[in-house]
Amino acid sequence: MGASRDVVRIDDGEEARLTPGGPHAAVIGSRGYLPLRYREEGTPTRAAFPGTCVVFPFAEDQYEVVSEEAEGDTVTYGLRPWPPGEVVRQVVAYGPPLVRAAQAERQRVARRNRSAPYRWLLAPLLGLLPEERQARACDAVGLPVGQATLASGAVEAATLYLLFNSAIAPARETDVGIDVWFWAVIVPAVVGGVILTAAWRALWGLVLGEAAGSALLWPFFALFDGARARLHDPTLVPLTRSAFWTRLALPDRVVRERAGTVLIRSLLPHLSWESARRVRFGDDWWEVETLPPARERGRLIHQYRLSPPPDPGPGPAPHSYTDEVMAGVRRDWEDLLTAGAGPLLVMLPEAVQQRAFAARGGPGAARTLTIATAVGQIAFAVWLLGSGLAGSLLVAAWCGGEGAFRLHRAATGRFGPSLLGHAFADLLPPEREAYHAHRDAEARALRGA
């Protein structure tokens, strides 16, 4: 980086300088857009919106961005001294960190643009990945996860169906003895189940826009991701399902400003704050202003400025928005429990059951239903053993073993999840609606940022 008394040059085409003799007091030249907002003048019905406040390493004064001009690959920002009496809402320090972050973002966009012609080829492959991996991989190439899951599920179902008809089905007609049982019953049942699972994934991506990985690859990724899950930072973009619940539990950063306002910085968009002009805390109503989000080392930081009423109370707390969202989630779970869905809810994954039964006391509230459904599984396994149905031994072993496992968990005061719960957990409104709303809001913010 080169710098003088009134010029700072970071890279070829990236510089800022004072221009006291020109139309602006200072200018910033860049080889692309920077996260700077220029001033929007007011109208008779709308007040003016100040531009970004910029500080330079060669000057003590603050400057406001008032213009933005793009010509080819060059973007020039015109600045003026910050107007006296104008409230400073956002300060950006011009220097290497700002420019390097913008350059990294341009490279990421360029990679996404270069991959655009090949996304239709990547979709069936990326759609095979588990949900978390699929969301991150699709974000890297700019591909919606729903399209990847749809393409992958359709290709997988068609491929397995053609493979079965061309190779496996003819073989079962020529073998004898125990091979007849294997080729005529076991293999068609297994292949048919995988084909139905693939078709379900395609429907999942088409209707819900959700990510769902291949059942064939799930065991391999489950073993591999088990060791890597602890190493992934859930605060980084994109917002996956597990990352949503992790971020929701993290407190907001509350910064008290000199003017009496409060700056809220959060890893999640505050949906109710963005759609309202005022937010209630206790008995007071605070005015809310949505600020542009900031990209910080792979994280998207959502920012809100709250202005207090006269003689305000305590105001916003770090968990205010978390409490608001979780209150709505708990109401949705309570509606399902009141409607009689308890026998299904006790089969959900443990983390989901913790949210479902939190308002009713946790594992103790699910204990009776867990024991009842586990006993039902064991009874069904016993019936299968005496039924003589094809494949009954395998199904009975799984059903009885899981029932015994769930009974043990309930007896020791823990939740008793079932593998069946994974099939419908993400379809339930409490698990889907809040996550989808915040995921879509983050995607809009990323496009805007």
Side-chain angles (χ1 to χ4, degrees):
M1 180 183 74
S4 65
R5 187 177 61 84
D6 57 359
V7 176
V8 55
R9 182 173 292 105
I10 297 175
D11 205 348
D12 184 25
E14 301 283 352
E15 67 174 24
R17 62 184 183 275
L18 297 181
T19 56
H24 301 290
V27 295
I28 296 176
S30 178
R31 289 179 296 176
Y33 289 99
L34 295 172
L36 303 176
R37 183 188 65 251
Y38 58 87
R39 182 180 183 87
E40 297 180 7
E41 296 297 341
T43 67
T45 59
R46 179 178 57 83
F49 200 88
T52 303
C53 179
V54 180
V55 295
F56 298 107
F58 52 72
E60 297 181 357
D61 297 333
Q62 294 177 329
Y63 292 84
E64 180 189 11
V65 180
V66 294
S67 69
E68 175 188 272
E69 298 180 0
E71 183 177 353
D73 295 334
T74 302
V75 180
T76 303
Y77 296 91
L79 298 90
R80 69 176 182 181
W82 190 261
E86 187 80 61
V87 177
V88 176
R89 301 185 180 277
Q90 182 185 15
V91 179
V92 172
Y94 182 84
L98 175 72
V99 174
R100 300 299 182 227
Q103 290 174 337
E105 179 65 18
R106 294 170 203 159
Q107 293 173 1
R108 189 177 73 88
V109 172
R111 286 196 299 269
R112 294 178 66 166
N113 293 337
R114 286 196 299 268
S115 66
Y118 311 104
R119 287 173 188 167
W120 66 276
L121 287 174
L122 294 173
L125 299 176
L126 298 182
L128 296 171
L129 300 174
E131 179 186 7
E132 299 286 321
R133 283 178 169 270
Q134 188 178 147
R136 292 192 289 270
C138 287
D139 177 75
V141 299
L143 179 68
V145 292
Q147 293 182 13
T149 296
L150 169 61
S152 174
V155 170
E156 184 181 13
T159 302
L160 289 173
Y161 179 76
L162 294 174
L163 178 64
F164 177 78
N165 282 337
S166 61
I168 299 177
R172 67 182 180 180
E173 298 176 357
T174 60
D175 292 328
V176 295
I178 193 161
D179 288 341
V180 173
W181 170 265
F182 179 78
W183 290 109
V185 178
I186 301 298
V187 172
V190 173
V191 175
V194 177
I195 292 176
L196 288 176
T197 302
W200 173 256
R201 290 201 306 116
L203 184 64
W204 187 275
L206 175 64
V207 177
L208 299 180
E210 284 275 17
S214 171
L216 292 175
L217 299 179
W218 177 80
F220 302 100
F221 282 108
L223 292 174
F224 185 72
D225 287 346
R228 293 179 57 87
R230 295 185 299 271
L231 302 178
H232 178 67
D233 187 353
T235 65
L236 299 178
V237 172
L239 181 63
T240 61
R241 187 181 302 275
S242 63
F244 167 70
W245 297 109
T246 300
R247 294 191 206 177
L248 186 61
L250 297 175
D252 292 343
R253 184 181 177 187
V254 180
V255 181
R256 306 282 175 175
E257 299 178 311
R258 292 183 178 179
T261 57
V262 176
L263 178 65
I264 305 294
R265 291 167 55 84
S266 175
L267 291 166
L268 278 179
H270 291 10
L271 305 183
S272 60
W273 295 17
E274 295 178 358
S275 60
R277 296 181 59 88
R278 295 192 302 166
V279 181
R280 185 173 183 174
F281 302 104
D283 296 329
D284 300 324
W285 289 91
W286 292 55
E287 293 185 1
V288 58
E289 175 190 2
T290 302
L291 303 178
R295 293 291 295 267
E296 297 181 1
R297 298 182 180 181
R299 297 178 176 89
L300 184 66
I301 308 299
H302 302 269
Q303 304 179 107
Y304 306 90
R305 175 168 284 107
L306 303 176
S307 301
D311 301 322
H319 285 284
S320 293
Y321 185 70
T322 298
D323 294 341
E324 177 186 336
V325 174
M326 288 306 300
V329 171
R330 283 192 291 269
R331 285 194 298 269
D332 290 341
W333 283 122
E334 190 63 27
D335 290 342
L336 288 176
L337 288 169
T338 304
L344 291 176
L345 301 189
V346 296
M347 294 187 176
L348 296 172
E350 184 172 7
V352 181
Q353 286 195 56
Q354 288 175 351
R355 292 189 284 270
F357 292 94
R360 294 197 174 191
R367 184 172 182 271
T368 301
L369 287 174
T370 301
I371 293 175
T373 53
V375 170
Q377 283 184 282
I378 296 174
F380 181 65
V382 172
W383 177 82
L384 279 177
L385 289 175
S387 66
L389 297 174
S392 60
L393 179 60
L394 182 62
V395 177
W398 165 76
C399 198
E402 186 180 77
F405 166 77
R406 297 181 64 228
L407 273 179
H408 173 71
R409 296 270 300 187
T412 55
R414 293 177 291 176
F415 290 111
S418 168
L419 288 177
L420 297 175
H422 291 273
F424 60 88
D426 296 343
L427 290 173
L428 299 175
E431 289 295 295
R432 185 165 55 89
E433 292 179 353
Y435 163 60
H436 275 213
H438 288 82
R439 183 194 64 179
D440 295 342
E442 180 174 278
R444 291 192 298 269
L446 284 170
R447 290 193 295 268

